Amino acid sequence: MGRSAKVMNAIRRGVDDVLIFTSLLLLAWPAMFDEDPGHRQVFLGGATVVLLGIGVIVLGQRWPLARYAPVAAAVVMAGYWLGSTGVISRQLTALTVAIAAIVLVRQFLGSRTNEHLVRDLTRQRAQLARQAFRDPLTEVGNRKLFLDHATDALADADDTMTAVILFDLDGFKEINDTYGHAVGDELLRTAATRMSAAVRANDTVSRLGGDEFTVLLPRLADDQIADTVANRILRDLTQPLTVGDIVLTIPASAGIAITRGSDMLLDDLLREADQALYQAKAEGKGVARRFDPAKFAEAEARRRDEADLRRALDEHEFEVHYQPIVHLNGERTVGVEALVRWRHPERGLLPPAAFLDLAESMGLLSRLGGWVLEEACRQAAIWQRQEPGFELNVNLSASQLGNPNLVEEVRGVLQRTGLPPELLVLELTESVALVDTIESARILGALKTLGVRIALDDFGTGFSSLSHLGALPVDVVKIDKSFVQAMQENAGASVAEAVLQIARTFNLAPVAEGVEDASTASRLRELDCAQAQGYHFAKPMPAGELTELLTRQSALSS
């Protein structure tokens, strides 16, 4: 409430109090001033008026209508005297006139007070409306204003287009962390000012929160206007900004969504703008991108796959299958390679190619690989009791090789499962091992101190394999299936033979992969390759089926 309104309110309360005392005096006048009043009578009457007046004032603070009871009684009393006697004394007449005058003054003061109250209420409503629809830091619209304007724009679009451009300031958190929130706030205010200067009068600039802004462009006749506005704002934002002695720029990314008519829901339009913004940031930031339905569908599919993969890990939907490794002399199964499979509730059994790259990109492959290692070692320990010397090959991913706790994790698995270390062969591809040969040699050497063996998978496909092979503590090389399957041709046979010769030169045990027919197996025997695996011998199978295979194999040999 303003100062003048407070003064007027105080005067109004004073007049109300005078009115009470005047009305009580009119009521007490006949008793105080009869034909022969004494001093005692006048004094008692006056004291009574004062005490009753104070009582009415106090009572009126709780029940406001009580303040008007003396006035009403005084008016009734004056009417009674006039009606019963036909005359009224000059004193009573004067008091009655005084009451009427005070009532008029009170009415005047009340109207003036009401005017002040109305003005105060109007200012308060305007302030509340501003707070409800404006961002207090930047003075542009807030989320509520954007939603209201966007809803109206879509409802009134007719056959025109409505565009929403979503902006996100790149690197804003780093600016806050480096220079403090005062500098960050100034940057936000400047960004809002520059955005507002780059749009039309009927466009709406709003801050949705944090460093995220949106621009609403209603009733567009040409969709290219949205691209022009977005790129103009991005250009203006990159102009230097000086805060104190700090010179900054405001790099940002923008996502554009456009719809024609009134059919699209605002939530869907915002979702498309957000997806376009995500695409702009994925492409290096600092650019504006329109919503692309194909890319959105791809991103949505990836998000679903990521959610499925996380759920699968938590709900144990993965299982280990085992592909036999046979000794070519007699084709007896002497070991297995553990291969993970995903028992998807809707898509069925999925091979590693369907999910391993996704798991690697999500940072989940180390967790999944650790589970495969433990599960396979537990099962291999059972088979080892049935087939002494039975070997287990388990693949190591790049993320597992980079895990500083890998050696201790492998040690823990061997201790928990009881598998003899010499029966565990850890496989890694050349592409993984040769990224950092020195570090790979250190980690593999530490693993070999546990007693396990190391295999180099897909051998022969890496350009640097020969120059670095002697530096890696490798025990086994697995000849890539591309060389093995090309053995039907003379050139292919010479490559496989060369790879076998390299393995013997480095005193490594060779295993041929991808053997799919009897003639390839026969040719490998001629080249003195001791072990092989492939569909010619057996496909990967669950643990139960492999147990049955080993049981049949033992029965045949006994």
Side-chain angles (χ1 to χ4, degrees):
M1 184 181 293
R3 182 187 179 113
S4 60
K6 291 181 180 179
V7 172
M8 291 295 295
N9 201 35
I11 295 174
R12 179 184 58 76
R13 286 197 298 270
V15 171
D16 285 345
D17 294 343
V18 171
L19 183 60
I20 290 171
F21 285 112
T22 305
S23 300
L24 290 173
L25 182 59
L26 176 61
L27 291 170
W29 190 271
M32 292 172 58
F33 300 99
D34 56 11
E35 294 181 356
D36 188 19
H39 294 293
R40 184 171 179 272
Q41 183 178 350
V42 173
F43 174 78
L44 289 174
T48 301
V49 168
V50 171
L51 292 175
L52 285 174
I54 294 172
V56 170
I57 291 171
V58 173
L59 192 64
Q61 293 176 354
R62 184 167 185 180
W63 293 289
L65 290 178
R67 303 173 67 90
Y68 299 99
V71 181
V75 172
V76 171
M77 176 65 74
Y80 170 76
W81 278 100
L82 181 62
S84 61
T85 63
V87 296
I88 188 167
S89 67
R90 284 179 296 175
Q91 293 88 347
L92 292 177
T93 300
L95 286 174
T96 304
V97 171
I99 291 174
I102 293 172
V103 170
L104 290 174
V105 171
R106 171 64 178 79
Q107 184 66 25
F108 171 76
L109 293 175
S111 65
R112 294 298 301 272
T113 302
N114 289 339
E115 290 177 7
H116 286 290
L117 287 174
V118 169
R119 284 198 296 269
D120 286 343
L121 288 173
T122 302
R123 282 196 297 268
Q124 290 174 5
R125 288 194 189 101
Q127 184 177 2
L128 288 174
R130 186 174 185 81
Q131 291 174 350
F133 290 97
R134 292 288 168 181
D135 175 56
L137 176 64
T138 63
E139 293 298 318
V140 298
N142 59 12
R143 179 181 290 273
K144 181 172 177 55
L145 180 72
F146 166 75
L147 294 176
D148 285 357
H149 283 198
T151 301
D152 292 342
L154 288 173
D156 298 336
D158 299 326
D159 194 40
T160 62
M161 289 175 285
T162 304
V164 169
I165 311 174
L166 200 59
F167 292 90
D168 188 84
L169 306 187
D170 299 328
F172 179 73
K173 182 179 183 302
E174 288 72 15
I175 291 176
N176 256 347
D177 293 343
T178 303
Y179 301 109
H181 289 280
V183 173
D185 289 348
E186 182 60 28
L187 187 144
L188 290 172
R189 283 190 287 266
T190 302
T193 300
R194 292 179 181 180
M195 289 183 189
S196 299
V199 300
R200 304 169 300 177
N202 64 325
D203 299 332
T204 303
V205 177
S206 302
R207 180 186 175 209
L208 300 185
D211 61 338
E212 192 173 54
F213 293 82
T214 187
V215 172
L216 173 68
L217 306 177
R219 302 192 70 82
L220 296 179
D222 184 354
D223 62 342
Q224 293 299 320
I225 295 175
D227 299 274
T228 302
V229 171
N231 286 302
R232 180 167 64 236
I233 289 175
L234 291 181
R235 183 194 64 226
D236 292 348
L237 289 177
T238 57
Q239 297 303 309
L241 164 68
T242 302
V243 183
D245 57 351
I246 303 169
V247 179
L248 300 170
T249 58
I250 314 175
S253 301
I256 305 170
I258 303 175
T259 184
R260 180 182 291 276
S262 307
D263 293 337
M264 179 174 283
L265 295 175
L266 177 56
D267 284 347
D268 294 336
L269 191 62
L270 269 174
R271 179 173 55 84
E272 290 187 359
D274 187 65
Q275 178 61 33
L277 176 62
Y278 176 85
Q279 187 64 37
K281 286 187 171 292
E283 293 182 13
K285 303 180 181 179
V287 296
R289 289 290 178 265
R290 277 204 200 187
F291 172 73
D292 186 331
K295 290 182 178 179
F296 176 74
E298 181 181 336
E300 283 290 291
R302 180 180 174 86
R303 275 195 283 269
R304 287 194 300 270
D305 289 344
E306 288 177 351
D308 277 355
L309 191 57
R310 292 185 188 279
R311 189 208 69 249
L313 274 170
D314 294 335
E315 298 184 5
H316 311 291
E317 292 180 0
F318 292 96
E319 55 190 59
V320 182
H321 286 204
Y322 302 88
Q323 184 171 34
I325 299 174
V326 303
H327 197 289
L328 285 171
N329 186 13
E331 296 188 358
R332 179 183 179 86
T333 301
V334 294
V336 290
E337 179 181 354
L339 301 167
V340 66
R341 298 289 187 267
W342 181 1
R343 184 72 66 177
H344 195 283
E346 298 174 358
R347 299 162 60 190
L349 190 66
L350 301 180
F355 58 86
L356 285 187
D357 287 344
L358 179 62
E360 183 78 74
S361 67
M362 294 172 62
L364 297 176
L365 196 51
S366 183
R367 176 184 169 189
L368 178 59
W371 174 83
V372 170
L373 177 65
E374 181 137 5
E375 177 67 16
C377 286
R378 182 193 60 78
Q379 181 60 56
I382 299 173
W383 287 328
Q384 191 272 334
R385 290 192 289 271
Q386 180 181 352
E387 294 281 336
F390 192 80
E391 295 180 354
L392 170 69
N393 288 39
V394 179
N395 292 282
L396 285 182
S397 66
S399 56
Q400 284 177 287
L401 194 65
N403 179 4
N405 300 318
L406 175 63
V407 176
E408 289 306 313
E409 288 181 4
V410 173
R411 187 199 310 275
V413 168
L414 292 171
Q415 290 174 348
R416 288 191 296 273
T417 61
L419 180 69
E422 64 274 12
L423 299 181
L424 175 61
V425 180
L426 297 176
E427 295 186 17
L428 68 160
T429 63
E430 285 191 67
S431 59
V432 170
L434 299 178
V435 169
D436 185 343
T437 308
I438 296 176
E439 181 63 12
S440 295
R442 185 190 67 80
I443 297 172
L444 297 179
L447 288 170
K448 284 180 66 66
T449 61
L450 301 178
V452 304
R453 294 192 295 157
I454 306 297
L456 199 60
D457 198 9
D458 300 336
F459 182 70
T461 59
F463 294 107
S464 303
S465 57
L466 295 181
S467 60
H468 293 91
L469 189 58
L472 296 173
V474 177
D475 304 285
V476 179
V477 290
K478 303 190 77 172
I479 306 172
D480 186 69
K481 63 181 180 181
S482 62
F483 300 137
V484 173
Q485 292 171 359
M487 290 181 65
Q488 299 302 324
E489 305 172 5
N490 292 332
S494 63
V495 173
E497 188 172 1
V499 172
L500 285 169
Q501 186 58 46
I502 291 170
R504 296 189 187 99
T505 300
F506 286 94
N507 197 28
L508 304 174
V511 178
E513 296 183 294
V515 179
E516 296 186 353
D517 53 64
S519 61
T520 302
S522 176
R523 181 61 179 145
L524 286 169
R525 291 190 195 94
E526 294 174 4
L527 294 174
D528 292 328
C529 180
Q531 294 184 356
Q533 64 185 93
Y535 282 13
H536 170 63
F537 307 109
K539 295 181 179 181
M541 61 188 73
E545 293 182 19
L546 187 64
T547 299
E548 295 175 359
L549 175 65
L550 294 178
T551 300
R552 291 195 302 271
Q553 181 177 280
S554 297
L556 290 173
S557 61
S558 60

